[in-house]
Amino acid sequence: MSERFPLYTTNYIGGVMSLRKPQIASLKILEEIVTSVNLRKGMNLRAALGSVHAMYPTCSDFEREFMSITFVLATGVGKTRLMGAFIAYLYTQHNIKNFFVVAPNTTIYNKLKRDLSDNNNPKYVFRGLGCFPVLPQIIADDDYRDKAISLYDSEIHIFIYNIDKFNKEGANMRKVNELLGDSFYQYLSNLPDLVLIMDESHHYRAEKGAQALNDLHPLLGLELTATPLVTAGTKQVPFKNVVYEYPLSKAIEDGYTRTPFAVTRSDIDFYNFGDEQLDKMMLLDGIACHERTKGELEVYATNHSTPEKPVRTVKPFMLVVCKDTDHAAWVENFIKSDEFRNGAYRNKTITVHSRQKGAETEANTRLLLDVENPSNPVEIVIHVNMLKEGWDVNNLYTIVPLRTAASKILREQMVGRGLRLPYGERTGDRDVDAVMLTAHDKFQDILAEAQKGDSIFKAGNVIKAEDLDEPEEIAYTQLTFDDDKPEQELQRAYEQTGVAESKENNILLQTAKGYLQEKTEEYISASPDPVAPTQQDKQKIVQAVKEKIEKDQDFGIIFRNNENPFLVWLEEETEQVYKSIIEKYIPIPRIRVTDAGAEEYVFVDFDLNLSEFTHVPIKNELLIQNLEDMSYRRRIKGAAIDFEGYNPKKVILSELRKEPEIDYERCSTLLFKLITQACDHYKSTYGTNGMQNIVMMYRRDLANKIYTQMMKHFYCENGFLQEEVMDVRCNNFRQSLRFKQRVGLYDDFEGDIHSVLFEGIRKGVFTEAKFDSKEGELTLARVMDRDEDVLKWLRPAPNEFNITYNRGKRYEPDFVVETTDCCYLIEVKAEKDMADPDVIAKKNRGIQYCEVATRWCRANGYKPWKYLFIPSKQVMANSSFARLAEQFQEQ
């Protein structure tokens, strides 16, 4: 441990930098290797390789003239941030101060320079670290010519250069520099602690690039890539120095990227189509996906925005990959023709390829690099082959590969361009978290891939293009108003205004009333204290209604001819409308959450899935190198675990206890059960000796498999959360809802309930709603809408409540109900999900919210809150709300 930085363990660095699991795993592997090998220039590489190979058998050759190890991480996981973690660890724990970062091209070079040097950049890699008294000094371009490196303020130097700057004999870096007294290249090679970090390291395996790196004589090489393959003739040879691999399929499974979906058409023999016919079909299906996604992103932003925390709308684009430049020209002409969506994308399409020249290249490149900007008009990018590495965008949602190679690697590279998360993490919305690949002629290949464990596609992630042909509509929820006597309301309006009755005036008054409700609702939503409107509030609303009516070509003149009486009527009506809207809402207590303690992980009891445990014993002569210290004895008290001398169960337990989520005191019973299941599984097949052999040789993998299954059965709690109610928000959020069919709340319907909009709701805050299940949610809504005890009910918007669980996931309750004496927070769950860890975590946080809200509400004259957790099959058409509340109350 470093004397200067004892705090900077790998766990601490991982925590303050908010590293993801694969990044932390990589950092721990580096720690294990560096502490096991005596790093120094001129070290015995064969002995070092033996040590590394014993720990990580996939590393059989450093493949360079210095010790070099490769970390294979999927695109989008965060290789640049991992570089920052590597640098922080090596500096704080091993006093290494010189790092040389190599980039394969200008795009990645500029990105690395920005991410490693600009601390105002949101992607700055050293954010959160306090170990640098002066930020690391970045030396790039010709910096070494202008100032002696020894005069830089920071003791840590990070050199960032494109490989082309030094892999040629005549390169400026190899020329003698007066300030250095030698060439910059030679200066670097003489440094005793130079660590080489190679981004996209598959580019540095060619002879010239590899030799240029060898001649730097670094202390250590750290290689980062997503594709650890070298092309040799017609073959692709895997790297031999890999110590860790985190494939794209795993990144997708763990939620660090968006999920890829394959789009095709059913029951069509694509071999009957000509090339151009198939291209046109794929392009039209692709644009249907794009337009659908564009709508979903708009709906998501609307439904998740609050006045305090607005959510930006992501503008998606579609990438078309062509086989050559002539093909790209044909595609561009088709997309810009009237045949393609009536020319709607004529001015929203660019083509980018290497044969473009001059102003066209510059203009298109500028638009391409700025494609994430909502004001950028580009929605379709046509490209030949693949876009360069380093072009990292987070708004590519649809990929259309036309007549491209069918290899799995190329498909992964294409899809990899569209896997970055626009909001930094998965949202839980399938469409926002997806990327679409049209795969009409390659669909069978993808389905075959989906059956394999390492595929980026899953068999269920298939979208039929014909299902996209029926476009969804968008509806905005409207408040329920009791318009039982519209004629009486009109009569009262005529009496107040004194205008003559006529068909035109009827429509004008009704339209004005609609505008008044709309503008009052908008004003209340934006007001910090909307309960009691001031005279100024009412005047602002009336002015907004007036301006809207005056813009109307049909009613503007009629309104202006009778402006004074209309304005008097509007002002008087505003008071009543304002009051009726406030009464329609259910007041929601807003809480402030303060994290005052450490997270605790709670595991739900389960049995191991033993199908993953397929190891076999290895030869005994190899096993002898891995025997534990037989004199080591330890007795662990607790859940009847008692180890005397050597015991394989202890070996697995010691590995599991390294994981930060596992608190032995809290889950010893479960640990003992799972370890025993794994050991008994091997013992029954291979006997005691075979089981011991397997445990000793594969202990890390065994522990990891157990740990992975445990993490699927846990939820995170914080017993030290401090919550307080800040105030009560007196308005509820309107939502935008996508649908394919409208039905009444009590009507029958066909098809998927998720595409149905239910309307005609009487007691709901809003007249429209959507539901996730017919048995449970829809049935409960019908019960509530006719129950005498229910005053109002609400299907809350995603951001209606500030309740989080399991490391910041947002809890969205199913319903809120107000009765005469209480408000209820309600969760309806299928019986099979009642014991799910996520469901339990949500329930516990919901209960806690109701307890906090009730204390404040009772002290401030509001109704108390209660939490209901209802099994879906317990909700029946003849249920009463009072009975359900009595039976399933959790407090």
Side-chain angles (χ1 to χ4, degrees):
M1 183 177 288
S2 166
E3 292 182 4
R4 287 178 62 196
F5 301 100
L7 186 63
Y8 277 75
T9 63
T10 51
N11 283 336
Y12 178 79
I13 292 171
V16 296
M17 293 185 73
S18 301
L19 297 183
R20 293 168 165 175
K21 287 180 183 177
Q23 294 167 322
I24 292 174
S26 299
L27 187 60
K28 286 183 175 293
I29 288 170
L30 176 65
E31 176 188 37
E32 188 170 18
I33 289 174
V34 172
T35 52
S36 300
V37 175
N38 185 17
L39 275 183
R40 67 184 189 286
K41 279 206 170 185
M43 73 174 81
N44 184 329
L45 288 182
R46 180 176 293 182
L49 179 61
S51 297
V52 176
H53 178 66
M55 292 183 283
Y56 301 98
T58 51
C59 181
S60 59
D61 190 336
F62 291 145
E63 298 193 279
R64 301 189 188 277
E65 294 175 9
F66 53 92
M67 178 176 165
S68 189
I69 53 178
T70 296
F71 297 85
V72 180
L73 279 87
T75 300
V77 169
K79 291 192 287 291
T80 312
R81 192 144 181 83
L82 179 57
M83 287 183 199
F86 282 165
I87 290 169
Y89 168 74
L90 292 171
Y91 167 63
T92 58
Q93 301 304 303
H94 298 277
N95 201 33
I96 292 173
K97 299 175 182 176
N98 291 288
F99 302 88
F100 190 97
V101 180
V102 190
N105 57 48
T106 304
T107 304
I108 294 180
Y109 165 73
N110 289 330
K111 176 181 180 296
L112 288 170
K113 221 165 83 166
R114 185 171 61 250
D115 292 352
L116 285 162
S117 65
D118 182 4
N119 60 351
N120 293 316
N121 174 11
K123 294 182 179 179
Y124 180 58
V125 299
F126 298 117
R127 189 172 310 284
L129 292 172
C131 57
F132 305 121
V134 178
L135 292 180
Q137 188 70 51
I138 306 300
I139 300 166
D141 300 318
D142 291 334
D143 292 348
Y144 62 89
R145 292 186 175 190
D146 304 325
K147 184 178 180 183
I149 293 170
S150 59
L151 298 178
Y152 280 113
D153 295 332
S154 176
E155 66 175 357
I156 308 162
H157 302 138
I158 302 176
F159 307 93
I160 309 174
Y161 285 90
N162 192 326
I163 186 73
D164 287 337
K165 291 285 186 181
F166 60 90
N167 65 352
K168 299 178 181 71
E169 283 299 323
N172 288 335
M173 284 176 66
R174 293 177 179 262
K175 295 176 182 177
V176 174
N177 178 273
E178 292 181 6
L179 285 171
L180 297 173
D182 207 335
S183 72
F184 178 49
Y185 187 78
Q186 191 61 44
Y187 166 83
L188 292 170
S189 69
N190 290 334
L191 289 171
D193 64 344
L194 185 68
V195 169
L196 194 58
I197 301 177
M198 294 161 266
D199 195 14
E200 306 293 354
S201 68
H202 53 281
H203 288 284
Y204 319 126
R205 296 291 175 127
E207 187 176 346
K208 280 189 179 179
Q211 192 55 49
L213 297 177
N214 285 334
D215 291 344
L216 281 169
H217 305 302
L219 178 68
L220 173 66
L222 302 174
E223 305 188 35
L224 297 164
T225 182
T227 51
L229 298 165
V230 182
T231 302
T234 58
K235 294 182 179 180
Q236 290 189 309
V237 181
F239 284 17
K240 297 177 183 177
N241 65 342
V242 173
V243 293
Y244 179 68
E245 186 164 7
Y246 188 79
L248 192 53
S249 57
K250 186 65 176 167
I252 293 167
E253 180 185 327
D254 288 347
Y256 295 135
T257 68
R258 285 188 264 145
T259 302
F261 286 77
V263 180
T264 191
R265 284 191 171 269
S266 302
D267 305 321
I268 293 181
D269 185 353
F270 297 107
Y271 294 102
N272 293 330
F273 287 76
D275 287 345
E276 290 190 2
Q277 283 179 297
L278 185 56
D279 284 354
K280 286 182 179 181
M281 181 186 292
M282 289 179 69
L283 287 165
L284 288 167
D285 288 344
I287 207 65
C289 287
H290 167 75
E291 290 171 350
R292 178 174 177 267
T293 299
K294 188 176 179 181
E296 293 291 350
L297 288 166
E298 290 173 3
V299 167
Y300 176 81
T302 300
N303 289 344
H304 288 77
S305 285
T306 65
E308 301 85 15
K309 191 178 179 182
V311 175
R312 64 185 175 87
T313 300
V314 174
K315 182 211 74 175
F317 77 96
M318 180 171 92
L319 174 66
V320 182
V321 185
C322 300
K323 68 172 185 174
D324 54 38
T325 54
D326 291 338
H327 187 206
W330 177 87
V331 169
E332 182 176 7
N333 288 333
F334 172 64
I335 288 175
K336 291 183 176 181
S337 71
D338 289 340
E339 186 181 353
F340 187 84
R341 287 292 199 269
N342 296 316
Y345 293 89
R346 192 171 286 128
N347 299 315
K348 299 177 181 181
T349 302
I350 59 170
T351 299
V352 182
H353 56 73
S354 58
R355 289 175 62 181
Q356 288 177 321
K357 295 179 181 178
E360 182 185 25
T361 302
E362 289 181 20
N364 285 353
T365 301
R366 194 161 50 248
L367 286 168
L368 179 66
L369 295 176
D370 192 41
V371 76
E372 291 176 339
N373 191 332
S375 62
N376 185 328
V378 172
E379 291 187 45
I380 300 176
V381 174
I382 302 168
H383 199 273
V384 177
N385 295 326
M386 283 302 301
L387 290 165
K388 288 183 178 179
E389 292 157 322
W391 184 67
D392 297 331
V393 293
N394 60 30
N395 62 331
L396 172 56
Y397 269 84
T398 308
I399 302 168
V400 184
L402 301 178
R403 300 185 230 164
T404 53
S407 80
K408 178 175 180 287
I409 290 175
L410 283 177
R411 266 198 291 276
E412 287 202 6
Q413 288 176 338
M414 268 190 290
V415 173
R417 300 293 105 202
L419 289 177
R420 294 181 185 274
L421 295 161
Y423 294 108
E425 60 185 3
R426 281 196 181 168
T427 63
D429 184 299
R430 193 193 80 160
D431 296 291
V432 176
D433 295 337
V435 59
M436 311 292 183
L437 178 78
T438 60
H440 294 29
D441 57 336
K442 306 292 190 301
F443 187 64
Q444 290 305 318
D445 296 337
I446 289 178
L447 278 188
E449 274 177 37
Q451 308 305 318
K452 301 173 184 176
D454 63 343
S455 173
I456 62 170
F457 295 97
K458 299 298 177 190
N461 291 354
V462 174
I463 293 176
K464 293 180 181 178
E466 55 264 35
D467 293 341
L468 302 174
D469 291 341
E470 184 185 345
E472 290 187 318
E473 298 178 62
I474 298 177
Y476 289 89
T477 51
Q478 304 293 322
L479 283 170
T480 53
F481 284 100
D482 299 324
D483 294 328
D484 295 333
K485 302 174 182 176
E487 286 139 10
Q488 291 181 16
E489 292 232 343
L490 265 178
Q491 193 58 42
R492 187 165 55 85
Y494 279 123
E495 290 171 4
Q496 288 178 301
T497 58
V499 299
E501 291 189 38
S502 68
K503 183 178 179 182
E504 291 78 11
N505 285 340
N506 281 353
I507 298 172
L508 172 59
L509 288 166
Q510 289 168 340
T511 302
K513 181 70 176 286
Y515 288 165
L516 180 59
Q517 290 174 349
E518 176 190 326
K519 293 300 178 183
T520 304
E521 194 178 338
E522 288 177 7
Y523 195 82
I524 290 172
S525 297
S527 175
D529 182 20
V531 178
T534 63
Q535 186 63 28
Q536 188 178 14
D537 293 333
K538 289 186 281 188
Q539 287 174 352
K540 286 181 180 178
I541 293 170
V542 169
Q543 182 62 28
V545 175
K546 175 188 171 187
E547 289 173 2
K548 189 159 185 177
I549 294 175
E550 286 178 337
K551 290 178 183 176
D552 193 305
Q553 293 181 349
D554 296 325
F555 306 122
I557 296 173
I558 302 174
F559 180 82
R560 281 191 290 274
N561 289 339
N562 299 276
E563 183 170 328
N564 285 336
F566 272 132
L567 287 178
V568 171
W569 169 72
L570 275 174
E571 192 165 322
E572 290 180 2
E573 197 69 18
T574 298
E575 179 90 37
Q576 184 59 38
V577 169
Y578 202 107
K579 182 180 178 182
S580 66
I581 289 176
I582 289 292
E583 288 177 350
K584 278 291 170 190
Y585 291 129
I586 300 176
I588 306 289
R590 292 197 311 140
I591 61 171
R592 179 190 293 118
V593 181
T594 305
D595 184 350
E599 295 172 332
E600 295 181 354
Y601 294 83
V602 181
F603 291 91
V604 178
D605 187 41
F606 73 101
D607 291 314
L608 278 183
N609 175 6
L610 292 167
S611 64
E612 299 177 11
F613 292 78
T614 57
H615 306 86
V616 297
I618 68 164
K619 293 181 180 179
N620 286 333
E621 59 265 25
L622 295 178
L623 178 62
I624 197 168
Q625 300 176 39
N626 293 272
L627 289 175
E628 295 286 288
D629 180 358
M630 300 297 287
S631 66
Y632 178 74
R633 291 181 174 221
R634 184 177 180 188
R635 181 182 299 274
I636 299 178
K637 297 177 181 178
I641 302 178
D642 189 6
F643 300 121
E644 282 292 334
Y646 166 68
N647 189 318
K649 294 178 183 178
K650 182 190 73 174
V651 175
I652 300 175
L653 179 66
S654 64
E655 293 293 333
L656 284 168
R657 293 185 71 172
K658 294 176 183 177
E659 301 297 343
E661 296 91 348
I662 294 178
D663 180 344
Y664 176 75
E665 299 302 323
R666 290 174 63 92
C667 59
S668 59
T669 301
L670 179 62
L671 281 172
F672 177 65
K673 184 180 95 168
L674 300 179
I675 293 170
T676 300
Q677 286 177 353
C679 290
D680 288 352
H681 167 67
Y682 288 115
K683 186 177 179 180
S684 66
T685 307
Y686 302 108
T688 301
N689 287 338
M691 178 267 289
Q692 291 175 336
N693 180 317
I694 289 168
V695 171
M696 293 311 303
M697 291 309 301
Y698 301 105
R699 57 188 177 188
R700 288 192 189 91
D701 191 44
L702 290 171
N704 185 57
K705 280 181 164 53
I706 295 173
Y707 169 73
T708 300
Q709 291 193 30
M710 288 181 72
M711 293 306 290
K712 292 177 182 177
H713 294 82
F714 93 103
Y715 62 93
C716 176
E717 280 189 344
N718 191 326
F720 303 99
L721 285 180
Q722 293 178 350
E723 294 179 317
E724 58 179 331
V725 176
M726 297 182 290
D727 53 36
V728 167
R729 193 182 63 251
C730 293
N731 65 294
N732 304 129
F733 297 141
R734 290 180 66 191
Q735 301 176 56
S736 54
L737 305 173
R738 293 181 71 85
F739 66 95
K740 288 185 178 178
Q741 58 174 316
R742 290 177 180 264
V743 302
L745 181 63
Y746 299 97
D747 293 345
D748 291 330
F749 63 93
E750 293 182 0
D752 182 5
I753 192 172
H754 296 92
S755 65
V756 179
L757 181 72
F758 294 89
E759 55 187 7
I761 295 169
R762 294 186 309 108
K763 289 194 173 185
V765 172
F766 299 105
T767 60
E768 304 88 6
K770 288 182 68 178
F771 305 102
D772 293 325
S773 65
K774 186 173 183 179
E775 184 184 67
E777 289 187 8
L778 176 57
T779 305
L780 181 59
R782 289 169 171 172
V783 167
M784 294 186 298
D785 208 54
R786 61 173 176 251
D787 194 286
E788 292 182 359
D789 291 323
V790 175
L791 299 179
K792 291 173 268 186
W793 65 271
L794 172 70
R795 186 89 163 125
N799 277 357
E800 199 87 49
F801 289 87
N802 180 30
I803 308 176
T804 59
Y805 70 100
N806 249 2
R807 288 178 164 176
K809 293 181 187 176
R810 184 170 290 276
Y811 176 31
E812 301 172 15
D814 291 329
F815 295 100
V816 179
V817 171
E818 184 178 352
T819 63
T820 305
D821 56 1
C822 187
C823 289
Y824 294 90
L825 203 61
I826 302 175
E827 187 73 23
V828 182
K829 274 288 170 279
E831 276 74 0
K832 66 181 178 62
D833 297 326
M834 299 291 278
D836 181 85
D838 251 25
V839 173
I840 292 172
K842 287 191 281 190
K843 180 180 77 170
N844 290 341
R845 292 291 291 115
I847 293 170
Q848 190 172 347
Y849 171 88
C850 289
E851 290 173 350
V852 172
T854 295
R855 286 195 294 270
W856 188 91
C857 288
R858 281 181 170 151
N860 289 274
Y862 289 89
K863 296 174 183 178
W865 282 74
K866 296 178 181 178
Y867 188 79
L868 305 185
F869 190 59
I870 307 176
S872 60
K873 289 184 179 177
Q874 298 297 314
V875 184
M876 301 177 191
N878 61 351
S879 297
S880 72
F881 183 76
R883 176 62 179 156
L884 291 171
E886 179 184 358
Q887 188 174 357
F888 297 107
Q889 183 180 320
E890 287 289 334
Q891 289 168 277

